[in-house]
Amino acid sequence: MKTIVVAAQKGGAGKTTLARNIAVAASQDGGRVLCLDLDPQGSLRAWWESREADMPAMLERDPAPEALRTTLTAAQAQFDLCVIDTPPAAPEWLAGALAAADLVLIPVRPSPDDLRAVGATIAAVNRARVPFAFALSQTPRAKITDEAARVLAQHGRVAPVNIAQRVSYAETGATGQGVTETSDDRASAEITAVWTYVKGILHG
Ligand SMILES: Nc1ncnc2c1ncn2[C@@H]1O[C@H](COP(=O)(O)OP(=O)(O)OP(=O)(O)O)[C@@H](O)[C@H]1O
Ligand SMILES: [Mg+2]
């Protein structure tokens, strides 16, 4: 089982949106996917509660952060992928969660404020010594997006496809879907591309 941790200390960066869409895309790709919500806000679980399909799965209760390793070990046999959502903060246990990742995905909005804030997350993943990749999130079609990609590329790899600002990402928060399950073909194509990229890193 591979483990993806979605992390960014900045609030609203797009962690939960990325986590749920990657989890759905991986499920549609035939994977047995487990989602864990380590954010006390519980947004990933709230989305999942409004969902009907069996995959991705969630546990009856999410583990306390200290029990994450045990939960991951227990899930090994049953799942191909675990996608973990984390809070917009740096609680003490975050280092342990990052260290459990095969890949940390870091969503970043292309704004100067968000770029400034991402330094703390980069430092945390570097301390954990795990592979990571940025995904530009909620991107407008504007010069600022390309500039942000250039800045991030100096610190690590950047997903080759941006997650654009689209109503379907927000709407599917309420319907329990992934955008790849909707008629928004453009959102679907970008999530499929991000998943293909992520899969390449996990299995490359
Ligand atoms: N690509 C997008 N297009 C449009 N809206 C988006 C997109 N990504 C996220 N959003 C919206 O922006 C808000 C923040 O996104 P999300 O909840 O994924 O961020 P987060 O990093 O998980 O936030 P928090 O730090 O509070 O956990 C949500 O209302 C979400 O619906
Ligand atoms: Mg969230």
Side-chain angles (χ1 to χ4, degrees):
M1 184 181 79
K2 299 291 187 183
T3 300
I4 296 174
V5 173
V6 184
Q9 294 179 19
K10 183 87 174 158
K15 294 175 287 296
T16 305
T17 302
L18 183 57
R20 63 187 187 225
N21 281 291
I22 284 291
V24 170
S27 305
Q28 289 176 311
D29 195 19
R32 297 167 301 167
V33 182
L34 175 67
C35 289
L36 296 181
D37 190 350
L38 295 188
D39 182 356
Q41 291 180 106
S43 340
L44 184 63
R45 183 169 285 276
W47 163 83
W48 186 83
E49 300 282 358
S50 58
R51 189 172 165 78
E52 277 159 28
D54 294 340
M55 278 290 156
M58 284 194 87
L59 303 175
E60 203 156 314
R61 220 173 286 154
D62 285 299
E66 310 78 57
L68 177 61
R69 288 282 180 167
T70 318
T71 300
L72 291 177
T73 306
Q76 285 285 344
Q78 241 183 306
F79 295 97
D80 304 303
L81 179 70
C82 180
V83 178
I84 304 176
D85 193 18
T86 64
E92 252 175 59
W93 54 260
L94 187 68
L98 294 175
D102 293 292
L103 176 66
V104 177
L105 280 179
I106 308 173
V108 186
R109 285 173 301 207
S111 81
D113 289 334
D114 287 72
L115 287 172
R116 264 194 294 274
V118 81
T121 306
I122 296 172
V125 286
N126 281 330
R127 275 194 301 273
R129 297 172 184 277
V130 286
F132 66 95
F134 303 107
L136 277 164
S137 159
Q138 300 153 70
T139 55
R141 242 198 268 164
K143 209 166 78 188
I144 198 171
T145 300
D146 302 329
E147 278 166 11
R150 258 198 305 281
V151 170
L152 290 174
Q154 293 168 4
H155 299 281
R157 49 191 156 189
V158 184
V161 181
N162 301 333
I163 297 163
Q165 176 74 38
R166 299 182 195 284
V167 175
S168 56
Y169 286 108
E171 273 175 357
T172 48
T175 62
Q177 294 167 294
V179 292
T180 48
E181 297 169 315
T182 71
S183 58
D184 186 340
D185 295 338
R186 282 181 296 188
S188 180
E190 68 202 10
I191 288 298
T192 302
V194 172
W195 166 238
T196 302
Y197 173 72
V198 164
K199 199 163 104 174
I201 297 175
L202 289 176
H203 298 283

